[in-house]
Amino acid sequence: MSAYWGKYADELIRTAKYIGTPGKGILAADESTSTIGARLTGINVENTEANRQALREMLFTAPGTHQFFSGVLMFEETLYQKTLAGKPFVKLLEEGGVMTGIKVDTGVVQLAGTNGETTTQGHDGLGARCKKYYDAGARFAKWRAVLKIGHTEPSELGIQQNAQGLARYAILCQENGLVPIVEPEVISDGSHDIRKCAEVTERVLAACYKALNDQHVLLEGTLLKPNMVTPGADAPKVSCEIIAKFTVRALQRTVPPAVPAVTFLSGGQSEEEATVNLNAMNSLQTLKPWTLTFSYGRALQASVLKTWGGEKKNWVAAQRVLYNRAKANSEAVFGKYKGDSGGDSGNLFVKDYKY
Amino acid sequence: MAPYAGKYADELVATAKYIATPGKGILAADESTGTIGKRLSSIKVENVEANRQALRELLFTTPGVHEFLSGVILFEETLYQKTLDGKPFVEVMKEGGVIPGIKVDKGTIDLWGTNGETTTQGFDDLHKRCATYYNAGARFAKWRAVLKIGELEPTQLAIDQNAQGLARYAIICQENGLVPIVEPEILVDGSQSIEKCAEVTEKVLAACYKALNDQHVLLEGTLLKPNMVTPGSDAKKVSPEEVAKYTVRTLQRTVPPAVPGVVFLSGGQSEEEATQNLNAMNALKATKPWTLSFSFGRALQATVLKTWGGKKENVEAAQKALYVRAKANSEATLGTYGGSASDVGTESLHVKDYKY
């Protein structure tokens, strides 16, 4: 059989293409309840539904930001939340030309016999859940697979399990009208150099696209959310031009042009790093048949959270911070980012990060 | 491990890029002695070395043709042949900016337990042979894997064997300085629809690129020689625009942008069909990060052979015929081919279950 061509095919292609609109990217606000709890703790805010609602309302109503976002990723709870005035978040965003996406995986579990490698769960009843989310207004989904670099990692088992898991998730999404974002994150933990990261990333991406082909996924209706190719967190840093060169080359070697856009994760990069690296990639004179844009969580929200501190009186200031970061990243997609937009350049790296 | 980055890496990348120069393509003149024998029979010419030499000299010394060719693929015998004046063919080509290539596979054998599916041989002394060919002036190689479409075909076994075979061949070439042309030909035999051909071609190409990645092949130093996506030979024909649409989409779904050029085989297409289809692909407004060009055998030589008929007095006319077709295909790589380049060249060149 050829690639998926059921009732949602045209819509999937349009949605994926729209999300890849140059100048726009994704706000990843899909932190699970416990993960957002860790963030709120970091600013001394209690992890209650009201506070989670407040944070997301603050983000989604930030003036002027909708022009920079083609999509927002949400956690399930948020999909059904409203503004205090009673407007569903999904509707609010839709009015601003921002599509709603939904995290659909249920986290990672360890692979026995490996050195801490994992696979991602969430396939059971996934089709039905996707349909439910589609009915609630979601039009794209996200599933995070995690791989690590070590002496014998990632193992062939680790790569295969995650690639096949991503491909199963992807086709189930498409069958139910959601554009799957394929996220095979090779975490930056370790002291390996950038070449090692490039090798591993290429190997992982090649396995992913083979698995997607095996499962008849319609590539034109997908997005890729990879790590940038960088040195490990414990290795010496390199310039953004080098990161750009290695990252784009890795994509050239593995990502078929049918994929409309690559929406990078920021990982442990600081806000400024993530923007500068994205900008360098888009400034590179080389073949790039897919849009290169952002799907940032921490790299869009870190300063916002600090500025907010849980206090309503800080909303306007916090929203301004989000506007600045969103604009900076939008410029980076055009390769036109000029410099520091007041972003936090502190390291956001958390060892063995779990969402 | 990273892809091949040994002593030939830069040269491989430069060679592959040059072969993919827009406006140029490959003359596939690598018919084995047995195969060229059949061609010569059809024009009543005896299959002796002198005649094989005469045919190739005719082709390689065609005035003006070098501008349209970035490479010529040769059979081993031809790599060491010279013009009657004593100039090695390899030199004739180099002077014209044409890179010599060499067929390195040793043909196909049946896969037991399948319905006539095959795998390709030629590994056993491949390292040594590639090194020898490099010393003789070759800078790229070709290896033809063959798959067919049937009720159960291609089977997973056939796909895996051929994809892995191509990948092994490819890395061995690179280790010895030759740019590997990766050729996973899906035969046009049968009555399948163009959609079926597209499905199979996508599956096969995906398997090939996974295998190439597994074997650490440097994609920037390779070329792809696929079939165009068409209906089967027994099915209803479609327009060049349809062929273009399906073919380009198939490539978009499977061929990473690191590959500099796709040099199509002509299969059983007539000379004119092959040119029209190639032209339509290049005229198509779509994302195409690789050059789309030709590596034609029959579709460049059919009329040439008929015109020559083995007679010295026909050489000039035959060379003119080659020039006309080469120019037409050069224009097709730019999407500017205007129409029939000659009155001849429209007959089907399909031979069922074609073996080189």
Side-chain angles (χ1 to χ4, degrees):
Chain A
M1 270 307 286
S2 185
Y4 173 79
W5 204 257
K7 73 184 212 184
Y8 294 110
D10 290 330
E11 187 184 356
L12 292 168
I13 293 174
R14 270 198 322 271
T15 299
K17 198 159 182 218
Y18 177 74
I19 292 176
T21 303
K24 294 182 188 283
I26 296 173
L27 166 62
D30 60 316
E31 301 87 353
S32 62
T33 305
S34 53
T35 300
I36 200 63
R39 301 278 166 77
L40 295 173
T41 299
I43 52 169
N44 295 318
V45 173
E46 203 190 346
N47 188 11
T48 60
E49 200 193 330
N51 285 337
R52 296 194 291 273
Q53 183 281 337
L55 167 62
R56 272 61 181 267
E57 178 166 346
M58 180 181 72
L59 294 173
F60 304 161
T61 59
T65 55
H66 289 177
Q67 69 182 294
F68 305 125
F69 298 138
S70 46
V72 171
L73 275 166
M74 296 186 191
F75 183 63
E76 186 175 21
E77 174 188 77
T78 320
L79 185 63
Y80 298 101
Q81 283 181 334
K82 308 173 161 76
T83 63
L84 284 180
K87 177 176 272 187
F89 284 155
V90 172
K91 195 157 192 321
L92 169 72
L93 292 167
E94 193 186 355
E95 284 168 6
V98 183
M99 310 199 78
T100 296
I102 176 77
K103 184 222 296 289
V104 300
D105 71 80
T106 58
V108 302
V109 290
Q110 303 244 320
L111 287 167
T114 67
N115 181 21
E117 290 183 286
T118 64
T119 187
T120 300
Q121 298 194 289
H123 290 107
D124 297 346
L126 179 57
R129 284 194 295 126
C130 286
K131 182 177 188 319
K132 206 181 69 164
Y133 297 143
Y134 183 95
D135 291 341
R139 287 295 177 272
F140 67 101
K142 192 209 85 174
W143 174 288
R144 179 176 177 252
V146 185
L147 296 119
K148 68 178 198 176
I149 297 178
H151 200 62
T152 48
E153 292 82 23
S155 63
E156 186 59 18
L157 175 68
I159 294 175
Q160 279 308 313
Q161 288 295 304
N162 283 287
Q164 287 168 33
L166 279 164
R168 271 310 290 152
Y169 137 80
I171 190 65
L172 285 165
C173 281
Q174 293 194 327
E175 290 181 84
N176 293 283
L178 302 182
V179 167
I181 295 184
V182 174
E183 181 179 357
E185 175 173 5
V186 176
I187 55 179
S188 64
D189 300 44
S191 54
H192 49 272
D193 63 17
I194 193 169
R195 284 181 196 283
K196 179 70 178 176
C197 179
E199 286 170 27
V200 171
T201 302
E202 287 170 27
R203 192 170 158 208
V204 168
L205 290 179
C208 287
Y209 283 99
K210 177 61 164 67
L212 290 167
N213 180 275
D214 288 342
Q215 292 276 356
H216 312 298
V217 176
L218 176 67
L219 292 188
E220 293 89 334
T222 65
L223 297 158
L224 178 69
K225 179 166 172 168
N227 49 285
M228 296 187 192
V229 176
T230 68
D234 299 331
K237 285 199 181 296
V238 301
S239 71
C240 58
E241 286 80 22
I242 293 187
I243 288 174
K245 193 187 101 174
F246 277 88
T247 303
V248 175
R249 191 176 72 174
L251 300 176
Q252 287 172 333
R253 288 174 170 176
T254 54
V255 185
V259 177
V262 176
T263 61
F264 290 98
L265 59 92
S266 47
Q269 295 181 36
S270 71
E271 292 172 324
E272 193 58 17
E273 269 180 320
T275 302
V276 161
N277 288 335
L278 181 63
N279 186 62
M281 282 181 225
N282 281 295
S283 307
L284 205 56
Q285 299 295 321
T286 186
L287 274 172
K288 293 168 288 183
W290 350 255
T291 305
L292 299 179
T293 184
F294 57 93
S295 174
Y296 291 167
R298 284 171 279 174
L300 273 168
Q301 298 181 57
S303 297
V304 173
L305 279 162
K306 273 211 209 113
T307 307
W308 175 49
E311 321 227 3
K312 191 120 186 118
K313 65 176 165 54
N314 296 334
W315 262 45
V316 173
Q319 288 180 322
R320 184 115 211 109
V321 170
L322 179 64
Y323 174 87
N324 287 338
R325 284 264 46 93
K327 181 165 190 285
N329 285 307
S330 167
E331 289 168 357
V333 177
F334 288 119
K336 297 228 181 322
Y337 178 57
K338 290 277 182 285
D340 190 62
S341 48
D344 185 359
S345 36
N347 198 345
L348 298 169
F349 175 67
V350 172
K351 203 163 144 70
D352 202 23
Y353 183 71
K354 286 171 182 31
Y355 271 43
Chain B
M1 269 308 286
Y4 176 78
K7 71 184 212 187
Y8 294 110
D10 290 339
E11 186 185 8
L12 292 167
V13 172
T15 299
K17 199 160 181 214
Y18 177 75
I19 292 176
T21 304
K24 293 183 187 284
I26 296 174
L27 165 61
D30 60 317
E31 301 89 352
S32 61
T33 306
T35 300
I36 201 62
K38 285 192 233 139
R39 301 280 166 74
L40 296 173
S41 284
S42 74
I43 54 167
K44 304 197 165 21
V45 174
E46 201 190 350
N47 187 12
V48 293
E49 200 193 331
N51 286 338
R52 296 194 293 273
Q53 184 278 341
L55 168 61
R56 273 61 180 265
E57 178 165 349
L58 184 167
L59 296 172
F60 306 157
T61 60
T62 294
V65 82
H66 292 170
E67 146 186 17
F68 308 126
L69 303 177
S70 48
V72 174
I73 318 181
L74 304 168
F75 182 61
E76 187 176 22
E77 175 188 77
T78 321
L79 186 63
Y80 298 101
Q81 284 181 333
K82 307 175 160 80
T83 63
L84 284 180
D85 290 342
K87 180 180 258 185
F89 283 157
V90 167
E91 245 183 75
V92 171
M93 287 175 212
K94 284 200 175 144
E95 281 170 11
V98 181
I99 302 184
I102 177 77
K103 185 225 293 292
V104 300
D105 71 78
K106 294 187 182 166
T108 60
I109 50 165
D110 279 17
L111 285 168
W112 178 262
T114 67
N115 180 20
E117 290 180 293
T118 64
T119 187
T120 300
Q121 296 185 115
F123 293 109
D124 292 347
D125 49 356
L126 187 55
H127 269 287
K128 210 161 59 145
R129 287 191 294 125
C130 285
T132 304
Y133 297 145
Y134 182 92
N135 291 334
R139 288 294 177 272
F140 70 97
K142 194 211 83 178
W143 173 288
R144 181 175 176 254
V146 184
L147 295 122
K148 66 177 197 176
I149 296 178
E151 219 190 286
L152 306 166
E153 292 83 16
T155 60
Q156 197 60 51
L157 174 67
I159 294 175
D160 290 344
Q161 288 293 302
N162 282 287
Q164 286 166 33
L166 279 165
R168 271 311 288 154
Y169 138 81
I171 190 65
I172 291 173
C173 280
Q174 293 194 327
E175 292 181 82
N176 292 285
L178 302 181
V179 168
I181 294 185
V182 174
E183 182 180 358
E185 175 173 5
I186 295 157
L187 299 175
V188 72
D189 300 46
S191 54
Q192 64 273 5
S193 65
I194 193 169
E195 286 87 359
K196 179 70 179 177
C197 179
E199 284 171 31
V200 171
T201 306
E202 285 172 30
K203 191 167 175 203
V204 168
L205 291 180
C208 287
Y209 283 100
K210 177 60 164 68
L212 290 167
N213 180 276
D214 288 342
Q215 291 277 358
H216 313 298
V217 176
L218 177 66
L219 292 188
E220 293 89 335
T222 66
L223 296 158
L224 178 68
K225 179 165 172 169
N227 50 284
M228 295 185 194
V229 176
T230 68
S233 50
D234 298 332
K236 212 166 78 129
K237 283 202 185 296
V238 302
S239 68
E241 287 72 30
E242 281 292 286
V243 171
K245 193 185 99 175
Y246 278 91
T247 304
V248 172
R249 189 179 76 174
T250 289
L251 300 177
Q252 286 173 334
R253 289 175 171 180
T254 54
V255 185
V259 176
V262 176
V263 291
F264 291 97
L265 60 93
S266 47
Q269 296 180 37
S270 72
E271 292 171 325
E272 189 59 17
E273 263 180 319
T275 304
Q276 295 266 5
N277 288 335
L278 181 62
N279 187 60
M281 282 180 226
N282 281 293
L284 196 63
K285 300 245 175 287
T287 302
K288 293 170 288 179
W290 352 256
T291 305
L292 300 179
S293 183
F294 58 93
S295 175
F296 292 167
R298 284 170 280 174
L300 275 168
Q301 300 181 57
T303 302
V304 173
L305 277 162
K306 273 211 213 113
T307 308
W308 176 50
K311 303 195 204 280
K312 207 155 165 82
E313 64 264 28
N314 294 337
V315 166
E316 205 185 310
Q319 287 183 323
K320 211 157 172 62
L322 178 64
Y323 178 89
V324 164
R325 283 265 48 99
K327 182 165 191 284
N329 285 305
S330 164
E331 288 167 2
T333 72
L334 301 169
T336 60
Y337 177 58
S340 179
S342 51
D343 293 329
V344 295
T346 51
E347 83 176 72
S348 171
L349 300 169
H350 178 241
V351 172
K352 206 164 143 65
D353 200 23
Y354 185 68
K355 287 176 180 32
Y356 271 45

